[in-house]
């Protein structure tokens, strides 16, 4: 199963991306601050919610590394930057 880690998943553009991937059968982990939106996404699409403040970059990276170590979850991470996207 293809896996994804989507940051900013409770708002656009993250939420539609996470939802689309889940509908296509991906194993999706969704990071965001809005616990209610994350719970809705879990209920509707079985997306795994990870509630946190995404402005803490070190914490986000630690969670991503923990996913890879604990469960073999090794997502391809795409970061949104002011001038576009990068990896």
């Amino acid at each position: 199963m293809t896996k994804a880690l989507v940051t900013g998943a409770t708002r656009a553009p993250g939420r539609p991306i996470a939802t689309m991937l889940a509908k296509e059968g991906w194993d999706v982990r969704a990071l965001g601050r809005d616990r209610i939106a994350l719970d809705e996404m879990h209920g509707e699409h079985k997306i795994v919610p990870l509630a946190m403040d995404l402005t803490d970059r070190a914490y986000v990276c630690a969670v991503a590394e923990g996913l890879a170590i604990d469960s073999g979850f090794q997502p391809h991470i795409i970061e949104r930057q002011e001038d576009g996207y990068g990896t």
Side-chain angles (χ1 to χ4, degrees):
M1 176 180 289
T2 307
K3 301 174 183 188
L5 174 65
V6 180
T7 60
T10 58
R11 304 276 187 273
R15 188 170 184 158
I17 291 169
T19 300
M20 177 194 65
L21 293 173
K23 286 180 180 179
E24 291 183 8
W26 290 49
D27 179 11
V28 178
R29 305 296 197 273
L31 280 75
R33 289 181 285 187
D34 186 339
R35 169 50 81 183
I36 294 170
L38 289 169
D39 288 343
E40 288 172 359
M41 293 167 68
H42 174 71
E44 295 170 6
H45 305 289
K46 302 302 180 216
I47 292 171
V48 177
L50 299 167
M52 68 180 69
D53 183 349
L54 300 179
T55 61
D56 186 345
R57 184 178 177 91
Y59 183 65
V60 171
C61 288
V63 169
E65 289 172 8
L67 288 171
I69 292 168
D70 294 339
S71 65
F73 188 85
Q74 298 178 346
H76 180 75
I77 299 175
I78 300 172
E79 293 182 24
R80 181 170 181 265
Q81 302 167 345
E82 290 184 28
D83 60 345
Y85 292 89
T87 56

